[in-house]
Amino acid sequence: GSSIEAKKAFSLSGPVVACVGALVERKGQPLLIEALKHLPDVTLVLVGQGPRRNSYEKFAEHHGVADRIGFLDRGRIVEEVSR
């Protein structure tokens, strides 16, 4: 699967930053979420599961970038790209 196929599968356009890993504090996902404020054309895709997901969603809303972040678990990625 190419990046073009993945973008089509998830209806993404423009630059995309993806982070794959557990949604836990030590991974630094909040830094990526904050960075979106300075990258108006970028979409962030966070792939993984973990105890911080809800707080990261609220963090994204607080910073006004929730509409440009996708939270996906690994199982959905395999499902969508395999179609």
Side-chain angles (χ1 to χ4, degrees):
S2 72
S3 62
I4 293 171
E5 291 168 342
K7 280 183 166 185
K8 279 185 187 177
F10 296 104
S11 301
L12 300 172
S13 62
V16 176
V17 173
C19 177
V20 180
L23 300 177
V24 295
E25 193 68 36
R26 72 176 188 276
K27 296 289 184 174
Q29 289 103 341
L31 183 62
L32 291 173
I33 294 170
E34 269 191 275
L36 284 185
K37 293 188 298 187
H38 307 287
L39 303 165
D41 298 331
V42 173
T43 299
L44 173 62
V45 178
L46 296 175
V47 181
Q49 299 167 317
R52 304 295 296 173
R53 178 174 174 155
N54 287 338
S55 64
Y56 291 168
E57 288 174 339
K58 290 176 185 169
F59 188 74
E61 287 174 21
H62 174 76
H63 286 285
V65 296
D67 62 329
R68 295 189 290 124
I69 299 179
F71 289 88
L72 304 172
D73 68 37
R74 286 174 289 196
R76 177 155 180 243
I77 294 285
V78 173
E79 241 177 62
E80 289 291 329
V81 177
S82 296
R83 286 185 186 186

